[in-house]
Amino acid sequence: MDRHGIRIAAATAPARPSGAAAPVPAGRASTVWRAARPGERLCLATGTALVLSGLAHLLVFAVDGGPWDGPVSWRKPITFGLSFGLTLIAVTWVTSYLRIGARARTALLVVFAADCVVEVAGITLQAWRHVPSHLNTSTPFDTGVAMTLAAGGGVLAVVLSVFAAAAFRHVPDGPPGMPLALRCGFAILIVALLSGAVMIARGVVLSRTGHQEAAYHSTAPLKPLHAVGLHAVLVLPALAWLLSRTAWSSAARQRIVRAAAGGYTAAVLGAGVWAALTW
């Protein structure tokens, strides 16, 4: 019986690499917190703080009002706080299923958490200053913030790519369907990161050629693809874990995860086609 309550035959359970961390159980918050290592607790607490920041700015938006869309709005600290917070919590959990050394995983998670804080802090700061956060080079300070956010995006891509590579290098642990959920989730996450890089690159080109307003609005076609892709690494593994709590057969659970992975992939492809048609 593993820490998730899933019975695994000793003869067929693949051994984890030496020094690899045991999977963090996904259950009640108190159980998860007690089972987590110090580095994991730091990341979980940081992710929760980012989610609370996003929710707090939702209240700010309700009181202060203003536009929801556009480069200057309360939408950005809301959506980025919620998205980065949930992603950090999700990555902290799902990477415990990967066959990667505990120290390497902890170091990568801490870097990822710090980068998430920097990204959300920069976006939130600019929202309170009532100026655009990305692609804003109107002053030296704004340029510094925009460059920091762009560099932070590069760090995020590197860290998450390392985790994605680990998911495909060795079969992840977990209940039936979890390996597929993790691999599909990370593959789609990489697509989301690439779409983000394309958004920034196109915006920078437009900005440097004197089309600042066009730069701010140039990201719209790719936003659905970026947003949908980011959370596959949470949705699909969460489904696999929820199915592990049922009495359904292993084969049935795997079929459901495969169907969900196919549906999610279709949604991402649809968002990609829409982006290409509206580019």
Side-chain angles (χ1 to χ4, degrees):
M1 189 78 71
D2 73 356
R3 296 182 65 180
H4 299 268
I6 308 302
R7 189 174 298 280
I8 300 177
T12 60
R16 294 180 64 79
S18 177
V24 178
R28 291 181 301 178
S30 58
T31 302
V32 174
W33 186 260
R34 287 195 300 269
R37 297 183 175 212
E40 293 168 337
R41 291 182 180 182
L42 173 64
C43 293
L44 292 172
T46 302
T48 302
L50 295 178
V51 169
L52 292 176
S53 173
L55 294 175
H57 283 89
L58 185 59
L59 295 177
V60 173
F61 172 69
V63 173
D64 188 60
W68 179 256
D69 294 319
V72 181
S73 72
W74 292 117
R75 169 188 55 83
K76 300 191 75 172
I78 294 170
T79 56
F80 277 78
L82 293 174
S83 183
F84 271 90
L86 289 174
T87 301
L88 176 55
I89 292 170
V91 169
T92 301
W93 169 49
V94 302
T95 55
S96 66
Y97 290 102
L98 302 182
R99 296 176 179 276
I100 185 172
R103 290 183 178 179
R105 172 174 168 261
T106 298
L108 289 169
L109 284 176
V110 171
V111 171
F112 183 59
D115 203 17
C116 288
V117 171
V118 170
E119 293 287 304
V120 175
I123 290 161
T124 302
L125 171 66
Q126 296 297 71
W128 280 96
R129 295 181 66 235
H130 304 292
V131 296
S133 54
H134 294 85
L135 309 175
N136 182 5
T137 57
S138 56
T139 70
F141 181 83
D142 292 326
T143 300
V145 172
M147 291 180 64
T148 299
L149 295 176
V155 174
L156 293 176
V158 170
V159 172
L160 293 173
S161 294
V162 172
F163 284 137
F168 283 92
R169 184 177 182 183
H170 301 290
V171 178
D173 289 330
M178 184 62 80
L180 173 62
L182 287 169
R183 287 177 166 178
C184 185
F186 272 111
I188 293 175
L189 178 60
I190 297 301
V191 172
L193 294 176
L194 290 174
S195 67
V198 171
M199 285 193 287
I200 295 298
R202 188 184 189 198
V204 168
V205 170
L206 290 171
S207 177
R208 290 184 176 179
T209 54
H211 302 88
Q212 192 64 44
E213 283 301 317
Y216 291 143
H217 298 289
S218 65
T219 60
L222 284 169
K223 281 183 178 179
L225 174 61
H226 185 65
V228 172
L230 280 178
H231 299 293
V233 76
L234 169 61
V235 173
L236 295 176
L239 173 63
W241 178 82
L242 287 172
L243 290 171
S244 74
R245 316 298 288 182
T246 70
W248 296 341
S249 69
S250 172
R253 283 179 269 163
Q254 289 179 327
R255 284 196 297 270
I256 294 172
V257 172
R258 282 197 295 268
Y264 211 113
T265 301
V268 170
L269 290 174
V273 170
W274 187 87
L277 293 175
T278 57
W279 185 257

